[in-house]
């Protein structure tokens, strides 16, 4: 019955176009519905209802032809999954192989598209000119996203600064002012690195005073606050810019070159390379190299916005060109005059003059880093988009896994379903479990056979089936109550309802306990049988019928197992099951018939049983049976109780 119910009510996952709503409903619904006392069947029913799944026999009100028996599944329901898996029961193994081959082909096709990047150039997710995401929410999420790698960007910038420092120390005369400037800058960089890497000092800080325990949180603060990151990154780059040319600050803005008026003589070779200040003339090209390293510091902050990088690069390009082409252009002229003191000697080409070569290098690095910044911005946004879509796919996959688990727990008991989740069982692998004390119930509505008929009025018997479905569905609702959490529905056979208790105990657990405690679940089964009778009375009141329940109970050892690989079916076997079935088939309407052994256990639990006498049971011979004195069996003399 559950298979038919699942087939009629199952609805595949929603298409990807509704993934925003699904994220807030489907994933949240599973987490909100799952509870320690909620049965998988009820959880599955509520989850399917949240999707607007069709109800069984609901189409009978507007039925045109009696042939249709199910609601078709939406065609685009599995659009977000590749390959599209169908739940049609008529699928052949060959069809599944074809689907796998198609899935592999699509997988490699996606890889080729990712490598060619053609699909992303035409992507509708972001603007091809500004690279901004078209959705404002997505753009805001990208800009506010955390950046744990910021500390490594700062560390790489420190290495650039250290390279400039080494160059300056090697080519300059190291005046005291320059040493003081670099000392202050070193302290600022060390402070920045301490803030960025403070989380790695947690153990050391926690051993110190409590007033310093807040220091490790600074690293997380920098990684999660975009405004703070931008401010620190900009300040770091500007600091590298300034410290790339500190030696030029100690030179006059304009000066007359001392080598410009000299002729070739022995005195020319005795003139020092020193200039007024601290910069040797030969170190002018090295100052330009330090400026180039300043350009590189802009490209180290990978996730910095392209607009800010463009602004900083333009600022540094203008500053470098104005220094070496305008305010300190005399340094290049003086170097040429020192290298070529004789006017009769051939002068170097225009492109070999230091100031022009430096300017050309600045422009080459500017445009190269600008292109790299644009490409890096593109890949950062693309990486963010991929990660976001990957998270959505993972959430969808998790939802489908939960749905699969719920479906499996809807077919199999909750303690059996984990044996089949995530395991590739072979057809010959048999799951089985032995139990020492299980109470088995058979409850039937014998009057339904006389009620059932096939005519044009009831659509060839479908109206009768709808009433039977309502009866079974109301019976199933009782399973969702906490006090009946130990009752496991086995199956329905026509109008007969089969259930059992005691299947939650592990193998051999009952044997280790005393008989009274191990069979205490028999009382739960009696209460469940009484509740079935009450449900049937309510249905009779609303449907103007007079159905009566006939119940048989028995307890004892059984063997439980799952039969089938593609369509697994959980069932129980044993003499206990056979006798319970005979107790129902030989019973009386409105009464609960039990065996003598079961009656003794029930009496020890506080229930009253009275003897029916010895009856003939098919396959068992003569048996002494008892009727349970409950509300379901209000009639009958209370005499001949079990002593």
């Amino acid at each position: 019955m559950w298979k038919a119910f699942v087939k009629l009510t199952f609805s595949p996952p929603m298409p990807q176009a509704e993934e925003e709503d699904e994220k807030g409903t489907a994933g949240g619904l599973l987490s909100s519905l799952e509870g320690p006392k909620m049965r998988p069947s009820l959880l599955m029913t509520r989850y399917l209802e949240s999707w607007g799944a069709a109800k069984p026999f609901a189409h009978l009100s507007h039925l045109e032809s009696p042939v249709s028996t199910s609601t078709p599944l939406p065609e685009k329901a599995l659009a977000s999954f590749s390959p599209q898996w169908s739940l049609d029961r008529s699928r052949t193994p060959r069809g599944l192989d074809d689907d796998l081959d198609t899935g592999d082909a699509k997988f490699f096709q996606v890889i080729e598209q990712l490598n060619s990047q053609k699909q992303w150039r035409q992507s509708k997710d972001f603007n091809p000119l500004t690279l901004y995401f078209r959705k404002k929410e997505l753009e805001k999420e990208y800009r506010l996203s955390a950046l744990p790698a910021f500390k490594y960007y700062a560390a790489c910038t420190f290495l650039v600064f250290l390279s400039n420092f080494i160059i300056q120390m090697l080519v300059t005369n190291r005046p005291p002012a320059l040493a003081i400037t670099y000392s202050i800058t070193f302290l600022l960089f060390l402070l920045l690195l301490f803030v960025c890497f403070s989380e790695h000092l947690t153990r050391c800080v926690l051993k110190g005073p409590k007033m310093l325990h807040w220091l490790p949180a600074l690293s997380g603060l920098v990684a999660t606050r975009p405004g703070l990151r931008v401010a620190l990154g900009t300040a770091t780059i500007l600091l590298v810019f300034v410290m790339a040319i500190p030696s030029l600050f100690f030179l006059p803005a304009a000066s007359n070159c001392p080598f410009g008026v000299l002729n070739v003589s022995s005195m020319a070779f005795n003139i020092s390379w020193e200039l007024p200040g601290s910069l040797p003339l030969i170190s002018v090209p090295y100052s330009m190299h330090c400026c180039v390293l300043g350009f590189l510091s802009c490209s180290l902050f990978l996730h910095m916005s392209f607009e800010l990088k463009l602004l900083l690069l333009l600022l540094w390009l203008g500053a470098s060109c104005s220094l070496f082409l305008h305010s300190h252009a005399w340094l290049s002229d003086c170097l040429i005059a020192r290298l070529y003191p004789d006017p009769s000697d051939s002068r170097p080409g225009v492109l070999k003059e230091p100031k022009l070569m430096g300017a050309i290098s600045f422009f080459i690095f500017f445009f190269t880093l600008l292109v790299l910044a644009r490409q890096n911005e593109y890949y950062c946004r693309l990486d963010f988009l991929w990660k976001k879509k990957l998270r959505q796919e993972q959430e969808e996959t998790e939802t489908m896994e939960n749905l699969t688990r719920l479906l499996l727990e809807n077919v199999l008991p909750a303690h059996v379903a984990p044996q089949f989740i995530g395991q590739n069982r072979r057809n010959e692998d048999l799951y089985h479990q032995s139990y020492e004390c299980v109470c088995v119930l058979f409850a039937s509505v014998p009057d339904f056979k006389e009620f059932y008929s096939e005519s044009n009025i009831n659509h060839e018997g479908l109206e009768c089936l709808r009433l039977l479905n309502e009866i079974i569905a109301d019976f199933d609702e009782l399973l969702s109550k906490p006090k009946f959490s130990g009752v496991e529905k086995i199956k329905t056979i026509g109008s007969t309802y089969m259930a059992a208790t005691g299947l939650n105990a592990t193998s051999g657990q009952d044997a280790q306990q005393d008989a009274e405690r191990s069979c205490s679940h028999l009382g739960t089964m009696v209460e469940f049988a009484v509740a079935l009778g009450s449900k049937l009375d309510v249905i009779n009141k609303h449907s103007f019928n007079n159905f009566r329940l006939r119940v048989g109970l028995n307890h004892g050892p059984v063997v439980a197992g799952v039969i089938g690989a593609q369509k697994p079916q959980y069932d129980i076997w044993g003499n206990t099951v056979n006798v319970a079935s005979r107790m129902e088939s030989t019973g009386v309407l409105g009464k609960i018939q039990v065996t003598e052994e079961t009656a003794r256990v029930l009496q020890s639990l506080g229930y009253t049983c009275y003897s029916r006498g010895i009856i003939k049971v098919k396959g068992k011979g003569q048996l002494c049976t008892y009727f349970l004195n409950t509300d379901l069996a209000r009639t009958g003399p209370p005499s001949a109780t079990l002593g």
Side-chain angles (χ1 to χ4, degrees):
M1 186 64 189
W2 270 111
K3 291 184 178 181
F5 177 75
V6 171
K7 183 177 181 181
L8 288 170
T9 58
F10 175 74
S11 176
M14 293 177 290
Q16 193 173 3
E18 302 176 2
E19 62 187 2
E20 296 296 333
D21 295 336
E22 179 189 1
K23 182 178 180 181
T25 56
L29 180 64
L30 282 175
S31 59
S32 62
L33 287 181
E34 287 183 345
K37 294 184 179 180
M38 185 170 291
R39 296 179 62 85
S41 58
L42 179 62
L43 182 59
M44 187 72 254
T45 302
R46 292 189 180 180
Y47 187 52
L48 294 177
E49 286 177 355
S50 68
W51 282 353
K55 295 182 179 180
F57 306 104
H59 61 286
L60 294 179
S61 58
H62 51 80
L63 185 66
E64 296 294 338
S65 173
V67 178
S68 177
T69 58
S70 63
T71 303
L73 299 175
E75 295 180 357
K76 62 178 182 178
L78 297 178
S80 60
F81 295 93
S82 194
Q84 297 181 354
W85 297 102
S86 172
L87 296 178
D88 187 4
R89 295 178 181 268
S90 62
R91 298 289 294 273
T92 61
R94 179 57 184 170
L96 293 177
D97 294 339
D98 295 340
D99 281 344
L100 291 175
D101 295 338
T102 305
D104 293 339
K106 290 183 178 180
F107 178 74
F108 288 111
Q109 183 179 1
V110 169
I111 293 180
E112 292 178 359
Q113 290 177 351
L114 293 179
N115 291 334
S116 63
Q117 302 175 5
K118 182 178 180 181
Q119 65 168 352
W120 297 107
R121 293 173 185 172
Q122 302 175 355
S123 175
K124 298 180 180 180
D125 294 306
F126 46 76
N127 190 299
L129 181 62
T130 62
L131 296 182
Y132 285 1
F133 291 109
R134 299 185 186 276
K135 295 182 179 180
K136 294 183 179 180
E137 301 82 8
L138 198 60
E139 179 68 22
K140 183 178 179 181
E141 183 180 355
Y142 170 74
R143 293 187 178 273
L144 296 179
S145 59
L147 186 59
F150 179 82
K151 54 187 177 183
Y152 302 112
Y153 303 159
C156 292
T157 309
F158 175 73
L159 293 179
V160 174
F161 164 76
L162 192 62
S163 301
N164 281 336
F165 169 74
I166 294 174
I167 293 175
Q168 295 289 339
M169 292 296 103
L170 291 177
V171 300
T172 63
N173 293 332
R174 299 179 291 279
L178 187 64
I180 294 174
T181 304
Y182 268 107
S183 299
I184 297 174
T185 309
F186 261 107
L187 291 177
L188 294 177
F189 263 105
L190 291 177
L191 179 61
L192 173 65
L193 293 177
F194 174 79
V195 171
C196 293
F197 288 90
S198 59
E199 63 179 357
H200 299 282
L201 304 175
T202 304
R203 293 183 178 179
C204 298
V205 172
L206 293 180
K207 294 180 180 179
K210 292 185 178 180
M211 59 181 300
L212 300 178
H213 288 182
W214 56 273
L215 290 177
L218 293 176
S219 179
L221 192 66
V222 172
T224 56
R225 295 294 180 88
L228 184 59
R229 289 202 308 266
V230 172
L232 289 177
T234 305
T236 304
I237 293 174
L238 292 177
L239 194 60
V240 173
F241 286 169
V242 173
M243 299 309 297
I245 49 175
S247 58
L248 298 180
F249 296 154
F250 303 102
L251 290 176
S255 177
N256 294 324
C257 180
F259 309 109
V261 296
L262 297 177
N263 294 325
V264 179
S265 62
S266 59
M267 184 176 59
F269 296 96
N270 296 326
I271 297 179
S272 172
W273 286 82
E274 296 292 337
L275 291 173
S278 62
L279 183 68
L281 188 60
I282 197 63
S283 65
V284 172
Y286 293 98
S287 297
M288 297 180 181
H289 299 336
C290 291
C291 292
V292 171
L293 290 177
F295 279 102
L296 291 178
S297 63
C298 282
S299 62
L300 295 178
F301 291 87
L302 301 180
H303 283 75
M304 182 177 288
S305 64
F306 175 76
E307 296 83 0
L308 184 56
K309 285 184 179 179
L310 176 61
L311 180 62
L312 292 174
L313 288 173
L314 283 173
L315 176 64
W316 187 235
L317 177 66
S320 301
C321 290
S322 69
L323 278 174
F324 291 97
L325 293 180
H326 179 64
S327 62
H328 290 74
W330 62 273
L331 291 173
S332 176
D333 298 334
C334 190
L335 179 61
I336 294 298
R338 178 67 180 84
L339 293 176
Y340 302 93
D342 189 0
S344 61
D345 293 342
S346 59
R347 305 284 290 183
V350 176
L351 295 180
K352 289 190 177 181
E353 290 191 10
K355 59 182 179 181
L356 294 180
M357 287 299 298
I360 293 174
S361 301
F362 297 156
F363 275 94
I364 290 176
F365 270 86
F366 171 78
F367 287 109
T368 301
L369 295 179
L370 198 63
V371 172
L372 291 177
R374 170 81 175 185
Q375 187 179 16
N376 180 73
E377 176 83 3
Y378 170 78
Y379 280 113
C380 287
R381 291 179 176 270
L382 192 59
D383 180 68
F384 171 79
L385 189 63
W386 281 348
K387 289 181 178 179
K388 183 175 179 61
K389 291 186 176 181
L390 176 62
R391 288 194 299 268
Q392 293 175 352
E393 292 293 333
Q394 289 176 342
E395 291 173 359
E396 292 177 359
T397 303
E398 183 179 358
T399 302
M400 290 302 300
E401 289 178 354
N402 292 333
L403 179 59
T404 302
R405 176 175 54 82
L406 292 178
L407 284 172
L408 192 56
E409 290 180 355
N410 204 28
V411 177
L412 303 177
H415 66 281
V416 178
Q419 302 291 331
F420 294 84
I421 296 178
Q423 299 184 16
N424 296 325
R425 284 184 171 269
R426 298 172 298 176
N427 294 343
E428 60 269 17
D429 292 340
L430 177 65
Y431 170 80
H432 66 281
Q433 191 76 43
S434 299
Y435 299 92
E436 294 297 327
C437 182
V438 173
C439 184
V440 183
L441 170 142
F442 281 87
S444 67
V445 186
D447 298 335
F448 183 80
K449 294 181 180 180
E450 300 178 359
F451 172 78
Y452 180 80
S453 64
E454 297 180 359
S455 63
N456 294 330
I457 299 177
N458 60 13
H459 301 291
E460 301 298 330
L462 290 181
E463 291 289 349
C464 299
L465 291 179
R466 178 161 63 177
L467 179 59
L468 178 61
N469 180 72
E470 292 180 1
I471 295 174
I472 300 300
D474 286 350
F475 288 174
D476 291 340
E477 286 183 0
L478 295 173
L479 299 174
S480 62
K481 294 185 177 182
K483 66 177 181 178
F484 297 139
S485 59
V487 180
E488 190 66 48
K489 176 186 175 182
I490 304 301
K491 58 185 174 182
T492 57
I493 308 171
S495 61
T496 302
Y497 195 92
M498 179 182 177
T501 58
L503 295 174
N504 296 332
T506 58
S507 178
Q509 180 178 351
D510 294 335
Q512 300 175 2
Q513 300 174 343
D514 54 70
E516 180 180 355
R517 184 178 179 184
S518 64
C519 297
S520 60
H521 56 82
L522 269 68
T524 303
M525 183 59 81
V526 172
E527 297 297 328
F528 183 71
V530 174
L532 292 179
S534 301
K535 279 287 185 181
L536 190 59
D537 291 339
V538 175
I539 295 175
N540 288 335
K541 182 178 179 180
H542 290 87
S543 62
F544 304 101
N545 287 301
N546 191 25
F547 294 132
R548 303 180 69 184
L549 203 62
R550 188 174 66 193
V551 181
L553 288 180
N554 188 30
H555 81 284
V558 300
V559 175
V562 177
I563 299 299
Q566 300 299 327
K567 300 177 182 179
Q569 176 65 49
Y570 182 80
D571 207 346
I572 55 177
W573 299 269
N575 183 64
T576 302
V577 179
N578 297 333
V579 173
S581 176
R582 295 290 183 260
M583 290 297 100
E584 179 274 323
S585 60
T586 60
V588 179
L589 291 176
K591 296 183 182 296
I592 302 177
Q593 184 173 229
V594 298
T595 60
E596 184 175 1
E597 293 79 5
T598 303
R600 293 183 183 277
V601 175
L602 291 175
Q603 187 180 24
S604 65
L605 296 176
Y607 294 93
T608 303
C609 302
Y610 58 92
S611 176
R612 179 187 180 183
I614 297 179
I615 62 173
K616 183 178 180 181
V617 178
K618 181 179 179 181
K620 303 299 177 182
Q622 303 292 329
L623 290 180
C624 180
T625 62
Y626 290 80
F627 286 133
L628 190 62
N629 188 15
T630 63
D631 292 339
L632 181 64
R634 287 185 291 270
T635 61
S639 58
T641 58
L642 187 65

